[in-house]
Amino acid sequence: MNKRKGALFLTLCLLLAGCGQGAGAETNVETEIAESIGIQNESAMPDTEDADAKDSVSETGETQNTKTTAQEPETEATVENTTEPKYLTLDISTMGEILADGDAVDPIGLTILSEEENGVSWANDWYDSENLSLPMIGTDWNSFYDDHYQYQWVDDELYIYETGTGNCIYVLDYPTDQWYINGNNAYLEDGIFYGASVRNGYAQSNTCFMFAYDLENDKLLWRSADQTYNSMNFVVKGDVILCGYGFTAEPDYLYQINRNTGEVIDRLSLKKAPDLIVEQDGKLYVHTYSYNYVIGMDVPNEF
């Protein structure tokens, strides 16, 4: 995993929170988190990436600049971890789409307001010009937070901390390409975890989907259809998840998924695959490999 400079406040909070490894683990998590802020890398592309590998990701927008707009939580997390985290290996190995029973949701009305070629530029250049923050926040594109939780990837595991207390409550292990851990690709609410399993490459069965998992009962609730997710992040808007999928010589779409059931309820065709999605002031700012989109949102009343 590429390393970056700076003992960012958020990562220190996570480190001091003291979430340790499970029994029998050989590597100390605190050490790994500390190492993750050691050496700055000038490119988001892994050092071992060869030319062929770069070609394979060239149209997914994965070669983004590692510049981020870091933000610090307003309140410090306490340094004492008062609960033991729950270690879970999520079983999402089922083949094919699985939908859950749940309320139907009307899709958000999406209208392309502007579409402009970006000359294959870095995402942060465009977002900076629009006074927007990149949707990932952290030292190595592997840590981020929302109003309630802080998320930290350490190797193959996702550590989830409570904002405010600093308690590490979950350590999750599930299959996904390591290149896709560098965005806001996880969301926890009311004990339900929303995540994605991604494979870099052309379409294959049982790859590139989102899922919802009941962490308290250790149960998969739904799994979206194949080839509905390989963007670097997703946006939760009420009961709708906005995400993207596309690849070379494959259709490129901005998808809407019913958060209650996992059903695809709408999709918007784009010229290139969405890689980063930012919501602000009733609009979506979608960066792709070679196009920037501003998309208007007509949100249903129930939101």
Side-chain angles (χ1 to χ4, degrees):
M1 184 181 295
N2 294 329
K3 315 299 180 184
R4 301 191 61 193
K5 283 183 178 178
L8 190 65
F9 177 85
L10 172 59
T11 304
L12 286 176
C13 287
L14 302 184
L15 175 59
L16 294 174
C19 176
Q21 293 278 29
E26 296 180 359
T27 305
N28 184 280
V29 174
E30 289 85 352
T31 300
E32 294 199 32
I33 294 176
E35 290 176 350
S36 74
I37 60 173
I39 303 174
Q40 182 175 12
N41 180 41
E42 296 300 328
S43 171
M45 184 64 69
D47 295 336
T48 58
E49 197 86 4
D50 58 24
D52 292 338
K54 290 180 182 178
D55 290 340
S56 73
V57 301
S58 62
E59 293 202 4
T60 66
E62 295 167 21
T63 57
Q64 302 303 319
N65 192 301
T66 54
K67 177 182 177 182
T68 62
T69 303
Q71 300 177 9
E72 297 181 356
E74 293 183 359
T75 59
E76 294 187 8
T78 58
V79 298
E80 294 183 0
N81 195 39
T82 59
T83 61
E84 286 296 322
K86 186 174 184 178
Y87 288 78
L88 289 172
T89 298
L90 306 189
D91 183 4
I92 56 174
S93 59
T94 182
M95 296 292 290
E97 179 184 42
I98 295 177
L99 301 181
D101 293 331
D103 294 336
V105 175
D106 291 330
I108 299 170
L110 300 180
T111 304
I112 295 177
L113 302 179
S114 68
E115 170 191 287
E116 59 182 14
E117 294 188 61
N118 61 31
V120 193
S121 63
W122 300 121
N124 61 280
D125 292 338
W126 180 49
Y127 287 141
D128 285 350
S129 71
E130 298 290 337
N131 294 317
L132 299 171
S133 296
L134 282 167
M136 63 281 300
I137 301 165
T139 59
D140 196 27
W141 286 29
N142 65 344
S143 61
F144 47 96
Y145 58 85
D146 53 35
D147 291 339
H148 304 292
Y149 300 101
Q150 301 168 355
Y151 307 83
Q152 172 79 43
W153 280 99
V154 179
D155 293 334
D156 297 333
E157 295 178 321
L158 179 65
Y159 287 69
I160 302 178
Y161 300 79
E162 291 179 319
T163 298
T165 68
N167 288 333
C168 180
I169 55 176
Y170 294 109
V171 179
L172 307 180
D173 185 359
Y174 57 92
T176 191
D177 191 302
Q178 284 300 293
W179 186 238
Y180 289 86
I181 68 169
N182 56 4
N184 291 45
N185 46 32
Y187 180 75
L188 176 63
E189 183 174 315
D190 298 329
I192 307 301
F193 176 76
Y194 302 89
S197 180
V198 183
R199 176 190 178 277
N200 177 32
Y202 290 101
Q204 292 187 13
S205 61
N206 206 35
T207 63
C208 298
F209 56 84
M210 292 201 64
F211 64 89
Y213 204 95
D214 184 341
L215 298 183
E216 291 306 303
N217 295 298
D218 197 6
K219 179 182 178 181
L220 178 67
L221 299 180
W222 58 255
R223 207 217 79 168
S224 70
D226 292 336
Q227 282 74 64
T228 53
Y229 184 94
N230 67 354
S231 49
M232 306 301 283
N233 75 306
F234 60 84
V235 171
V236 177
K237 186 70 174 177
D239 285 334
V240 173
I241 297 174
L242 296 147
C243 60
Y245 177 83
F247 204 75
T248 306
E250 295 182 39
D252 304 308
Y253 292 107
L254 181 67
Y255 281 97
Q256 297 188 57
I257 295 176
N258 182 339
R259 186 157 69 102
N260 304 315
T261 67
E263 176 188 10
V264 173
I265 56 176
D266 203 4
R267 64 184 186 181
L268 178 66
S269 178
L270 302 179
K271 289 185 177 179
K272 292 295 181 181
D275 51 56
L276 291 170
I277 306 166
V278 172
E279 178 205 359
Q280 182 165 298
D281 299 330
K283 299 176 184 177
L284 293 176
Y285 295 79
V286 182
H287 183 272
T288 79
Y289 173 71
S290 54
Y291 286 87
N292 297 333
Y293 287 91
V294 180
I295 299 173
M297 304 173 66
D298 182 10
V299 180
N301 292 333
E302 62 263 30
F303 289 3

